[in-house]
Amino acid sequence: MKKMLRSAIGLAAGSWITLASAPAHSQTIIKPHFLMIVDSSGSMRATDAGANSCGYDPSRISVAACVVRNLADGFGDGIWGMMTYGLTCNAAVPHLRAGPGFGCGTSGCLYAFPGAIPGPNPMANMGFPFPWYGCNDGGSLWVPLADSQQPLLRAWGDGTWSSCTTTPPAGASGGPELRYVPPGDNVNWEESANTRYTPMAGSLRHAGNYLRNLLAPTNRSPYLNFNGTGAPDPFGRCRPMNVILLTDGEECCSTSNALGCNLSSTSTGAAINARNLGCLRVDLNGDGDTTDAGEFNQDLNNDGDCYDVVAGANEQSAFRTRTYVIGFGTGVSTASINAIAAAGGTGTGFVATNEATISRAIADIVARSQLVELCNGIDDDCDGLIDEDFNIGGACTVTNMACSSPGVFACNPADQTQAICNAPPIVIGAEMTQAQCTDGRDNDCDGATDCADPACATQAFCSSCTPTAEVCDGRDNDCDGQIDEGMITRPCGSTIGVCRAGTETCVQQMTPQPMGTWGACTGVTGGAEVCDGLDNNCNGV
């Protein structure tokens, strides 16, 4: 089966390309992982999030719970897990409270850089990978990454509290609830003032510990416990791993920390942890460190991730983790969320103010995370084949008028979504001179070559031409290789009435014509007759 494609694949206007269809292949669907971190600080009790599809109150944490419930019911294009900031589950009184040492303290927070520098240094001033920053207990993993955990994920957003430890069966309600986080007033239940804090860096640090297999055996990394099977992920090194931080604040770890809250509008500690996630080192042998052979991924071009092809080397062998940030609520710091997103390899953060805008952001993230094969020499969709959708090396021919040029398909370096034919370009020229009419090529791409071309047939070197005076007849009368040249003129017009005679000049031709072509007459021509005593139309009356 043949297909004809136009200039959309990089050919000049008027050119066409003939190609053979690529062989069919089976498609392996690799579901991405999404670990969602839900901000559980006191400010999430603000009631400015509007109505939601679950019928909950308009607080930010209730809207977040509704989004989590809908995730469990909907997005089948990914495998989902969930974290909050450091909380524990109070079984006696339905409630989620701050975990032990949640505020970190001066010594435990690890937010300051070595040397007591007041605030994080720019990342460019340190080698990669960086130290991890933020509270050691800045996060709590509630739903490990596995398709089988969807009932547990839904239990955190279904609106009904039942138990800290028992997961309701599929279709039933209950379980711990995101909506039962401390309201931040330091009065209700066993809450402490620390619940007001926003340990973004600490939560990303905790996510990193989970993914690196440093929470084992309590929660083994999904790279080593795929879908809860206890077996390694067969596509771990190319499956997209995504961390989604949903937050309404800026970094705030502990008022007892000398650094205090809202120290940095760019949340550099969280950004550094996001960047470390981008070149993840996983404890594959479970010995408690991530520096053994086969666990040490390299950032070959020092850009903070391990996804590139650099000087013929392939960083894709590293684990692929990207960090997205959704800033939720009015007045959220875009500088803060953008800094974390940029360091996490996802550009800029999303800004959301209600359930609909959070849902759109998540839908965008899910769409970005689906594996799509590009034309770049890499197995992008993880099916064991490279550039299989582009027929690389397949024969192709570029044509322009009657000319053709053979080649093969190669990846387009300017656009990795398509391949281009590498055939030499076709240049349409003239076929007039002796050199052009005797070179064995169809220079003007009209389907005729050399003396078989009408443009050459009347030339002296192509026929027994007998020179005569050049006349305007579309032929090379004087056998000089030119047609109707020499400013050949003839009289035209009349002197009757208002008309005046003139001359017209033969138009020099580039190719033979059935008869000579004359230009416009230089004389005066007549017009419509009017009542003025003159012969306007030059008919003698």
Short mmCIF file of all heavy atoms in Angstrom, two decimals, residues 419-479:
data_model
loop_
_atom_site.label_atom_id
_atom_site.label_comp_id
_atom_site.label_asym_id
_atom_site.label_seq_id
_atom_site.Cartn_x
_atom_site.Cartn_y
_atom_site.Cartn_z
N ALA A 419 9.07 11.83 10.67
CA ALA A 419 10.26 11.48 9.91
C ALA A 419 10.22 12.20 8.58
O ALA A 419 9.16 12.60 8.10
CB ALA A 419 10.33 9.97 9.69
N ILE A 420 11.38 12.39 7.98
CA ILE A 420 11.46 13.05 6.68
C ILE A 420 12.28 12.20 5.73
O ILE A 420 13.11 11.40 6.16
CB ILE A 420 12.09 14.46 6.80
CG1 ILE A 420 13.47 14.38 7.45
CG2 ILE A 420 11.20 15.41 7.57
CD1 ILE A 420 14.20 15.70 7.48
N CYS A 421 12.01 12.36 4.46
CA CYS A 421 12.78 11.65 3.44
C CYS A 421 14.09 12.39 3.23
O CYS A 421 14.12 13.60 3.02
CB CYS A 421 11.98 11.60 2.14
SG CYS A 421 12.70 10.53 0.87
N ASN A 422 15.21 11.65 3.32
CA ASN A 422 16.52 12.31 3.20
C ASN A 422 17.02 12.38 1.76
O ASN A 422 18.21 12.57 1.52
CB ASN A 422 17.56 11.61 4.08
CG ASN A 422 17.86 10.19 3.62
OD1 ASN A 422 17.33 9.71 2.61
ND2 ASN A 422 18.73 9.51 4.35
N ALA A 423 16.11 12.20 0.77
CA ALA A 423 16.50 12.29 -0.63
C ALA A 423 17.03 13.69 -0.95
O ALA A 423 16.56 14.68 -0.38
CB ALA A 423 15.29 11.99 -1.52
N PRO A 424 18.02 13.78 -1.84
CA PRO A 424 18.53 15.11 -2.22
C PRO A 424 17.41 15.97 -2.80
O PRO A 424 16.51 15.45 -3.47
CB PRO A 424 19.59 14.78 -3.28
CG PRO A 424 19.97 13.36 -3.03
CD PRO A 424 18.74 12.68 -2.50
N PRO A 425 17.43 17.25 -2.55
CA PRO A 425 16.37 18.12 -3.07
C PRO A 425 16.41 18.21 -4.59
O PRO A 425 17.46 18.04 -5.21
CB PRO A 425 16.68 19.48 -2.43
CG PRO A 425 18.16 19.43 -2.12
CD PRO A 425 18.44 18.00 -1.76
N ILE A 426 15.25 18.46 -5.18
CA ILE A 426 15.12 18.59 -6.64
C ILE A 426 15.08 20.07 -6.99
O ILE A 426 14.24 20.81 -6.48
CB ILE A 426 13.85 17.89 -7.14
CG1 ILE A 426 13.95 16.39 -6.86
CG2 ILE A 426 13.64 18.16 -8.62
CD1 ILE A 426 12.67 15.65 -7.18
N VAL A 427 15.99 20.49 -7.86
CA VAL A 427 16.02 21.88 -8.32
C VAL A 427 15.63 21.91 -9.79
O VAL A 427 16.29 21.27 -10.63
CB VAL A 427 17.43 22.50 -8.12
CG1 VAL A 427 17.44 23.94 -8.63
CG2 VAL A 427 17.84 22.43 -6.65
N ILE A 428 14.56 22.61 -10.12
CA ILE A 428 14.11 22.72 -11.51
C ILE A 428 14.88 23.84 -12.19
O ILE A 428 14.88 24.98 -11.72
CB ILE A 428 12.60 22.99 -11.57
CG1 ILE A 428 11.84 21.82 -10.95
CG2 ILE A 428 12.14 23.23 -13.01
CD1 ILE A 428 10.34 22.00 -10.94
N GLY A 429 15.56 23.51 -13.27
CA GLY A 429 16.37 24.49 -13.98
C GLY A 429 15.90 24.69 -15.41
O GLY A 429 14.75 24.41 -15.75
N ALA A 430 16.79 25.14 -16.26
CA ALA A 430 16.48 25.40 -17.66
C ALA A 430 17.11 24.32 -18.54
O ALA A 430 18.06 23.65 -18.16
CB ALA A 430 17.00 26.77 -18.08
N GLU A 431 16.56 24.13 -19.73
CA GLU A 431 17.11 23.23 -20.72
C GLU A 431 17.13 23.97 -22.05
O GLU A 431 16.21 23.87 -22.86
CB GLU A 431 16.28 21.94 -20.80
CG GLU A 431 16.99 20.82 -21.53
CD GLU A 431 16.77 19.48 -20.87
OE1 GLU A 431 15.83 19.35 -20.08
OE2 GLU A 431 17.55 18.56 -21.14
N MET A 432 18.20 24.79 -22.25
CA MET A 432 18.28 25.69 -23.39
C MET A 432 19.65 25.65 -24.05
O MET A 432 19.77 25.59 -25.27
CB MET A 432 17.98 27.13 -22.96
CG MET A 432 16.53 27.36 -22.55
SD MET A 432 15.42 27.38 -23.96
CE MET A 432 15.96 28.84 -24.82
N THR A 433 20.69 25.69 -23.24
CA THR A 433 22.04 25.81 -23.79
C THR A 433 22.55 24.46 -24.26
O THR A 433 21.97 23.41 -23.96
CB THR A 433 22.99 26.36 -22.72
OG1 THR A 433 23.13 25.38 -21.68
CG2 THR A 433 22.46 27.65 -22.12
N GLN A 434 23.67 24.50 -24.98
CA GLN A 434 24.23 23.26 -25.49
C GLN A 434 24.63 22.32 -24.34
O GLN A 434 24.42 21.12 -24.41
CB GLN A 434 25.44 23.55 -26.38
CG GLN A 434 26.02 22.29 -27.01
CD GLN A 434 27.08 22.61 -28.06
OE1 GLN A 434 27.34 23.77 -28.36
NE2 GLN A 434 27.68 21.58 -28.65
N ALA A 435 25.20 22.90 -23.27
CA ALA A 435 25.59 22.08 -22.12
C ALA A 435 24.37 21.42 -21.48
O ALA A 435 24.40 20.24 -21.12
CB ALA A 435 26.33 22.93 -21.11
N GLN A 436 23.28 22.18 -21.36
CA GLN A 436 22.08 21.64 -20.74
C GLN A 436 21.39 20.62 -21.64
O GLN A 436 20.76 19.69 -21.16
CB GLN A 436 21.11 22.78 -20.43
CG GLN A 436 21.61 23.75 -19.37
CD GLN A 436 20.85 25.05 -19.34
OE1 GLN A 436 20.09 25.36 -20.28
NE2 GLN A 436 21.04 25.83 -18.28
N CYS A 437 21.50 20.80 -22.95
CA CYS A 437 20.82 19.92 -23.89
C CYS A 437 21.63 18.69 -24.26
O CYS A 437 21.19 17.89 -25.10
CB CYS A 437 20.47 20.69 -25.17
SG CYS A 437 19.22 21.97 -24.94
N THR A 438 22.79 18.52 -23.66
CA THR A 438 23.63 17.35 -23.97
C THR A 438 24.15 16.67 -22.71
O THR A 438 25.11 15.90 -22.78
CB THR A 438 24.82 17.77 -24.84
OG1 THR A 438 25.57 18.79 -24.17
CG2 THR A 438 24.37 18.28 -26.20
N ASP A 439 23.54 16.93 -21.52
CA ASP A 439 24.06 16.36 -20.27
C ASP A 439 23.32 15.11 -19.82
O ASP A 439 23.59 14.55 -18.75
CB ASP A 439 24.03 17.40 -19.14
CG ASP A 439 22.62 17.89 -18.81
OD1 ASP A 439 21.66 17.41 -19.44
OD2 ASP A 439 22.50 18.75 -17.92
N GLY A 440 22.33 14.65 -20.61
CA GLY A 440 21.62 13.43 -20.27
C GLY A 440 20.62 13.58 -19.13
O GLY A 440 20.16 12.58 -18.57
N ARG A 441 20.26 14.80 -18.76
CA ARG A 441 19.35 15.05 -17.63
C ARG A 441 18.13 15.84 -18.10
O ARG A 441 18.22 16.66 -19.02
CB ARG A 441 20.06 15.79 -16.52
CG ARG A 441 21.25 15.06 -15.94
CD ARG A 441 22.00 15.93 -14.96
NE ARG A 441 21.14 16.40 -13.88
CZ ARG A 441 21.51 17.31 -12.99
NH1 ARG A 441 22.71 17.89 -13.07
NH2 ARG A 441 20.67 17.67 -12.02
N ASP A 442 17.03 15.60 -17.41
CA ASP A 442 15.82 16.37 -17.66
C ASP A 442 15.88 17.60 -16.74
O ASP A 442 15.25 17.65 -15.69
CB ASP A 442 14.59 15.53 -17.36
CG ASP A 442 13.29 16.28 -17.61
OD1 ASP A 442 13.34 17.38 -18.21
OD2 ASP A 442 12.23 15.77 -17.20
N ASN A 443 16.63 18.60 -17.11
CA ASN A 443 16.90 19.73 -16.23
C ASN A 443 15.66 20.53 -15.86
O ASN A 443 15.55 21.04 -14.73
CB ASN A 443 17.93 20.66 -16.89
CG ASN A 443 19.26 19.98 -17.13
OD1 ASN A 443 20.01 19.71 -16.20
ND2 ASN A 443 19.55 19.67 -18.38
N ASP A 444 14.70 20.65 -16.77
CA ASP A 444 13.51 21.44 -16.48
C ASP A 444 12.33 20.57 -16.05
O ASP A 444 11.20 21.06 -15.92
CB ASP A 444 13.11 22.31 -17.68
CG ASP A 444 12.93 21.49 -18.95
OD1 ASP A 444 13.02 20.25 -18.87
OD2 ASP A 444 12.70 22.10 -20.01
N CYS A 445 12.59 19.26 -15.81
CA CYS A 445 11.60 18.34 -15.23
C CYS A 445 10.28 18.34 -16.01
O CYS A 445 9.19 18.28 -15.40
CB CYS A 445 11.34 18.68 -13.76
SG CYS A 445 12.79 18.49 -12.70
N ASP A 446 10.36 18.41 -17.34
CA ASP A 446 9.14 18.38 -18.15
C ASP A 446 8.91 17.02 -18.77
O ASP A 446 8.00 16.85 -19.60
CB ASP A 446 9.17 19.46 -19.22
CG ASP A 446 10.27 19.24 -20.26
OD1 ASP A 446 11.12 18.33 -20.04
OD2 ASP A 446 10.29 19.96 -21.27
N GLY A 447 9.72 16.03 -18.42
CA GLY A 447 9.56 14.69 -18.93
C GLY A 447 10.33 14.40 -20.19
O GLY A 447 10.32 13.26 -20.67
N ALA A 448 11.02 15.38 -20.76
CA ALA A 448 11.82 15.20 -21.98
C ALA A 448 13.27 15.57 -21.68
O ALA A 448 13.54 16.50 -20.93
CB ALA A 448 11.28 16.05 -23.12
N THR A 449 14.19 14.82 -22.30
CA THR A 449 15.61 14.99 -21.99
C THR A 449 16.38 15.38 -23.23
O THR A 449 16.19 14.81 -24.32
CB THR A 449 16.19 13.69 -21.41
OG1 THR A 449 15.44 13.32 -20.26
CG2 THR A 449 17.66 13.85 -21.03
N ASP A 450 17.25 16.36 -23.05
CA ASP A 450 18.19 16.81 -24.07
C ASP A 450 17.48 17.12 -25.39
O ASP A 450 16.50 17.84 -25.40
CB ASP A 450 19.31 15.77 -24.26
CG ASP A 450 20.23 15.72 -23.05
OD1 ASP A 450 20.09 16.58 -22.15
OD2 ASP A 450 21.07 14.83 -22.96
N CYS A 451 17.94 16.59 -26.51
CA CYS A 451 17.40 17.00 -27.80
C CYS A 451 15.97 16.52 -28.04
O CYS A 451 15.32 16.96 -28.99
CB CYS A 451 18.31 16.50 -28.94
SG CYS A 451 19.91 17.39 -29.00
N ALA A 452 15.49 15.61 -27.16
CA ALA A 452 14.07 15.23 -27.25
C ALA A 452 13.19 16.28 -26.62
O ALA A 452 11.97 16.24 -26.77
CB ALA A 452 13.86 13.88 -26.57
N ASP A 453 13.78 17.22 -25.90
CA ASP A 453 13.03 18.31 -25.29
C ASP A 453 12.77 19.37 -26.36
O ASP A 453 13.70 19.76 -27.08
CB ASP A 453 13.85 18.90 -24.14
CG ASP A 453 13.02 19.84 -23.27
OD1 ASP A 453 12.32 20.69 -23.83
OD2 ASP A 453 13.11 19.73 -22.03
N PRO A 454 11.51 19.82 -26.50
CA PRO A 454 11.24 20.85 -27.52
C PRO A 454 12.12 22.08 -27.39
O PRO A 454 12.40 22.76 -28.38
CB PRO A 454 9.77 21.19 -27.28
CG PRO A 454 9.20 19.96 -26.67
CD PRO A 454 10.29 19.39 -25.81
N ALA A 455 12.58 22.37 -26.15
CA ALA A 455 13.43 23.54 -25.97
C ALA A 455 14.79 23.36 -26.61
O ALA A 455 15.49 24.33 -26.89
CB ALA A 455 13.59 23.83 -24.46
N CYS A 456 15.21 22.10 -26.82
CA CYS A 456 16.52 21.82 -27.42
C CYS A 456 16.41 21.42 -28.89
O CYS A 456 17.39 21.55 -29.65
CB CYS A 456 17.20 20.69 -26.66
SG CYS A 456 17.56 21.03 -24.92
N ALA A 457 15.23 20.92 -29.27
CA ALA A 457 15.11 20.28 -30.59
C ALA A 457 15.47 21.20 -31.74
O ALA A 457 16.00 20.75 -32.77
CB ALA A 457 13.69 19.75 -30.76
N THR A 458 15.20 22.50 -31.63
CA THR A 458 15.45 23.42 -32.75
C THR A 458 16.83 24.06 -32.67
O THR A 458 17.16 24.88 -33.52
CB THR A 458 14.39 24.52 -32.75
OG1 THR A 458 14.43 25.22 -31.50
CG2 THR A 458 13.00 23.93 -32.95
N GLN A 459 17.61 23.69 -31.61
CA GLN A 459 18.95 24.27 -31.50
C GLN A 459 19.88 23.65 -32.55
O GLN A 459 19.69 22.51 -32.99
CB GLN A 459 19.51 24.04 -30.10
CG GLN A 459 18.59 24.45 -28.97
CD GLN A 459 18.40 25.97 -28.92
OE1 GLN A 459 19.12 26.72 -29.58
NE2 GLN A 459 17.42 26.42 -28.16
N ALA A 460 20.88 24.42 -32.96
CA ALA A 460 21.81 23.98 -34.02
C ALA A 460 22.50 22.68 -33.65
O ALA A 460 22.74 21.83 -34.51
CB ALA A 460 22.84 25.08 -34.28
N PHE A 461 22.83 22.50 -32.34
CA PHE A 461 23.56 21.29 -31.93
C PHE A 461 22.64 20.09 -31.84
O PHE A 461 23.07 18.98 -31.60
CB PHE A 461 24.26 21.52 -30.58
CG PHE A 461 23.42 22.26 -29.57
CD1 PHE A 461 22.38 21.65 -28.89
CD2 PHE A 461 23.66 23.60 -29.32
CE1 PHE A 461 21.63 22.35 -27.99
CE2 PHE A 461 22.89 24.31 -28.41
CZ PHE A 461 21.87 23.68 -27.73
N CYS A 462 21.32 20.30 -32.00
CA CYS A 462 20.38 19.18 -31.97
C CYS A 462 19.77 18.91 -33.34
O CYS A 462 19.03 17.95 -33.50
CB CYS A 462 19.26 19.46 -30.97
SG CYS A 462 19.72 19.19 -29.24
N SER A 463 20.00 19.76 -34.33
CA SER A 463 19.38 19.55 -35.64
C SER A 463 20.28 20.16 -36.72
O SER A 463 21.24 20.88 -36.45
CB SER A 463 18.00 20.21 -35.68
OG SER A 463 18.13 21.61 -35.55
N SER A 464 19.90 19.88 -38.02
CA SER A 464 20.63 20.47 -39.15
C SER A 464 20.01 21.82 -39.45
O SER A 464 19.33 22.01 -40.45
CB SER A 464 20.55 19.54 -40.38
OG SER A 464 19.20 19.25 -40.66
N CYS A 465 20.25 22.74 -38.54
CA CYS A 465 19.64 24.06 -38.67
C CYS A 465 20.39 24.90 -39.72
O CYS A 465 21.62 24.99 -39.69
CB CYS A 465 19.67 24.75 -37.30
SG CYS A 465 18.92 26.38 -37.29
N THR A 466 19.61 25.51 -40.66
CA THR A 466 20.19 26.42 -41.65
C THR A 466 19.86 27.84 -41.25
O THR A 466 18.68 28.22 -41.19
CB THR A 466 19.62 26.15 -43.05
OG1 THR A 466 19.90 24.79 -43.41
CG2 THR A 466 20.22 27.11 -44.08
N PRO A 467 20.88 28.64 -40.90
CA PRO A 467 20.59 29.99 -40.38
C PRO A 467 19.89 30.86 -41.41
O PRO A 467 20.27 30.90 -42.59
CB PRO A 467 21.98 30.54 -40.05
CG PRO A 467 22.86 29.35 -39.93
CD PRO A 467 22.32 28.35 -40.89
N THR A 468 18.84 31.52 -40.97
CA THR A 468 18.15 32.55 -41.75
C THR A 468 17.88 33.71 -40.80
O THR A 468 18.16 33.63 -39.60
CB THR A 468 16.82 32.02 -42.32
OG1 THR A 468 15.98 31.61 -41.26
CG2 THR A 468 17.07 30.85 -43.28
N ALA A 469 17.33 34.80 -41.37
CA ALA A 469 17.03 35.94 -40.52
C ALA A 469 15.96 35.53 -39.49
O ALA A 469 15.01 34.81 -39.79
CB ALA A 469 16.55 37.11 -41.37
N GLU A 470 16.17 36.01 -38.25
CA GLU A 470 15.21 35.71 -37.18
C GLU A 470 13.91 36.45 -37.43
O GLU A 470 13.90 37.65 -37.72
CB GLU A 470 15.78 36.11 -35.82
CG GLU A 470 14.99 35.61 -34.63
CD GLU A 470 15.16 34.10 -34.41
OE1 GLU A 470 16.08 33.48 -35.02
OE2 GLU A 470 14.39 33.54 -33.62
N VAL A 471 12.79 35.73 -37.41
CA VAL A 471 11.47 36.31 -37.52
C VAL A 471 10.65 35.88 -36.32
O VAL A 471 11.01 34.95 -35.60
CB VAL A 471 10.78 35.89 -38.84
CG1 VAL A 471 11.54 36.42 -40.05
CG2 VAL A 471 10.64 34.36 -38.91
N CYS A 472 9.56 36.56 -36.14
CA CYS A 472 8.73 36.30 -34.95
C CYS A 472 7.79 35.14 -35.25
O CYS A 472 6.64 35.33 -35.64
CB CYS A 472 7.94 37.55 -34.57
SG CYS A 472 7.10 37.41 -32.97
N ASP A 473 8.30 33.89 -35.07
CA ASP A 473 7.49 32.71 -35.39
C ASP A 473 7.64 31.60 -34.37
O ASP A 473 7.22 30.47 -34.60
CB ASP A 473 7.86 32.19 -36.78
CG ASP A 473 9.32 31.78 -36.88
OD1 ASP A 473 10.06 31.94 -35.87
OD2 ASP A 473 9.73 31.28 -37.94
N GLY A 474 8.29 31.89 -33.25
CA GLY A 474 8.45 30.87 -32.22
C GLY A 474 9.52 29.85 -32.54
O GLY A 474 9.53 28.77 -31.94
N ARG A 475 10.44 30.16 -33.46
CA ARG A 475 11.51 29.23 -33.83
C ARG A 475 12.86 29.95 -33.79
O ARG A 475 12.93 31.17 -33.86
CB ARG A 475 11.27 28.66 -35.24
CG ARG A 475 10.00 27.85 -35.35
CD ARG A 475 9.81 27.29 -36.76
NE ARG A 475 8.60 26.50 -36.86
CZ ARG A 475 8.51 25.22 -36.50
NH1 ARG A 475 9.59 24.60 -36.05
NH2 ARG A 475 7.37 24.57 -36.62
N ASP A 476 13.90 29.11 -33.68
CA ASP A 476 15.27 29.65 -33.69
C ASP A 476 15.73 29.71 -35.14
O ASP A 476 16.47 28.86 -35.62
CB ASP A 476 16.17 28.76 -32.85
CG ASP A 476 17.60 29.28 -32.81
OD1 ASP A 476 17.82 30.46 -33.14
OD2 ASP A 476 18.49 28.50 -32.41
N ASN A 477 15.32 30.76 -35.85
CA ASN A 477 15.62 30.84 -37.28
C ASN A 477 17.10 30.99 -37.57
O ASN A 477 17.62 30.45 -38.55
CB ASN A 477 14.85 32.01 -37.91
CG ASN A 477 13.38 31.97 -37.56
OD1 ASN A 477 12.92 32.74 -36.73
ND2 ASN A 477 12.62 31.07 -38.20
N ASP A 478 17.82 31.76 -36.72
CA ASP A 478 19.24 32.02 -36.99
C ASP A 478 20.16 31.02 -36.28
O ASP A 478 21.39 31.20 -36.24
CB ASP A 478 19.62 33.45 -36.62
CG ASP A 478 19.28 33.78 -35.17
OD1 ASP A 478 18.84 32.85 -34.42
OD2 ASP A 478 19.44 34.94 -34.77
N CYS A 479 19.57 29.98 -35.72
CA CYS A 479 20.34 28.86 -35.15
C CYS A 479 21.34 29.28 -34.08
O CYS A 479 22.45 28.74 -33.99
CB CYS A 479 21.08 28.11 -36.27
SG CYS A 479 20.03 27.51 -37.61
#
